[in-house]
Amino acid sequence: MGNWRKLLGCQYVTRTECSFSSLHLRSVYENIKLRIRAEKGNSTSQWHEVPPFVPFKKAQIGPPDVRLKAEDKAIIVNISPPGTKDSTMWAMDQSNFLYSLVIWENSSSLEERTESVYSRDKIYRLSPETTYCLKVRAELRSSRKFGVYSPVSCITTTVEHKLPSPENIEISAENQIYVLKWDYTFENMTDMTFQAQWLHAFLKKIPGDHSDKWKQIPNCENVRTTRCVFPQSVFSKGIYSIRVRAADGNTTSLWSEEKKFNTEMQTVIFPPVIHVKLIGEDSLRVSIGAPEESENKSGYQLYPLIYEVVFRENTSNAERRVLEKRTDFTFPNLKPLTVYCVKARALVESNRWNKSSVFSDTVCEETKPGNTSKAWLIAGICTAVFSIVVVIYVVKALLRCVSYVFFPSSKPPSTIDECFSEKPLRNLLLSTSEEQTERCFIIENTSTVTTIEETDQIGEDYKKYSSQTSRDSGNYSNEDENSGSKISEGLLQEEPV
């Protein structure tokens, strides 16, 4: 009870309320107790204690101080955070304040525009020579505390500048470089040059003037085109502000609207490399790897990737999509002897990012023949062999028919030859201009030699001649019947040696 102190600002007040500052509190984050009593002359009431509370939670954010400066199409806003210079209430939150600004044309208060700004910022996309009014309030979103709006301030923009400012600034990453582009329209572009600068974005959260901290972007000074290229090594990981202005000799334009640039958001996600391997007869295994170009990229190091794999038959448009974190996929129970194609892309798994690579090259693989296919293959081979045999047989038969019709044989058919197996009958089939002679020579050691000669002629009976002679033998001809008889008689008259 001996620690009670007088609260300055709340002594001897005649109203039923009082205000006090945090200057008179030892800590704005600790519980404090208050007690109140009434006094009249020398009489006092008993003390009434107020329930304990934390001053920081009960404090109301006051209105900030706002100063304005006009350009032709923009207004520069300088905001001082709430509280006095020596106040301890918001001392820990000076850089955490965000400011909500409401602006409108003075002639039309119904068309209001609300923007979130920093303590030193610019309001763009305004019209020259126009009066605008605005008000600002401070916010601590982490504590869900919203302050009171500042008094309304009005200002008139200036006459349009001689040289317009560059517009539509864009920055993109390509391989190991950044490409900065902008739009600019002017009648005479012959001697026009451009300059680009960058600033750490976190400096905007710190109250004060940081105009002297802008730095020149390499390869983007005095360029004559509406683009410039610089290496990615210029920026480390972080968020930056980019601005561009034009110059025509000694005349320069105002700085363009600042473009916020996050190096992580600009990281290029390269398509993955896929490998397809046949497993067994009806399964394909798909393996995914990161390309060499992406090994040193922050997007691959800071955030995990998920992969979208598209699988389909080569002759079909029906696709099967798989979205997984793993890098190995197996597709079983596939059709035999069928070509399947696979492609994949990488996506960043992050609530802050919505980036993905393009699809990789399509890789195709054919499955092996299954058991059914083997059976069909064997059946096909057997059928082919049988067909070849049949074709050969048919061709030979046709050749025989052709040969029989166009190239007949001089001999009679074997069937006819068998029917006329006896000599006399067979001889009837021969030509009449020829005669058949059958000659026999028998040589014996005995004293008797028998020679038999048969002569057949068509239309005549055959005759036999026999004789006895010595070991000599000879050839006999029967050209006609008379010559045959003479030879026979000669042989009969011969004496044995």
Side-chain angles (χ1 to χ4, degrees), residues 300-356:
Y300 285 81
Q301 297 171 354
L302 299 178
Y303 300 96
L305 296 177
I306 56 177
Y307 298 97
E308 181 182 5
V309 179
V310 179
F311 186 81
R312 65 178 178 86
E313 289 186 25
N314 190 33
T315 58
S316 174
N317 292 327
E319 296 180 341
R320 177 181 172 186
R321 293 178 179 267
V322 179
L323 196 65
E324 295 284 350
K325 293 181 181 179
R326 54 193 174 96
T327 57
D328 286 332
F329 302 85
T330 301
F331 297 92
N333 304 322
L334 303 179
K335 299 178 183 178
L337 293 176
T338 304
V339 178
Y340 290 91
C341 296
V342 184
K343 63 180 180 179
R345 67 173 178 172
L347 300 92
V348 177
E349 186 183 16
S350 172
N351 295 329
R352 298 171 53 191
W353 280 27
N354 185 20
K355 294 184 69 67
S356 63

Side-chain angles (χ1 to χ4, degrees), residues 427-446:
N427 291 339
L428 295 176
L429 299 174
L430 300 176
S431 173
T432 56
S433 62
E434 298 182 0
E435 64 180 29
Q436 297 268 338
T437 302
E438 189 173 310
R439 297 171 182 176
C440 298
F441 304 95
I442 303 174
I443 300 174
E444 297 180 356
N445 294 329
T446 61

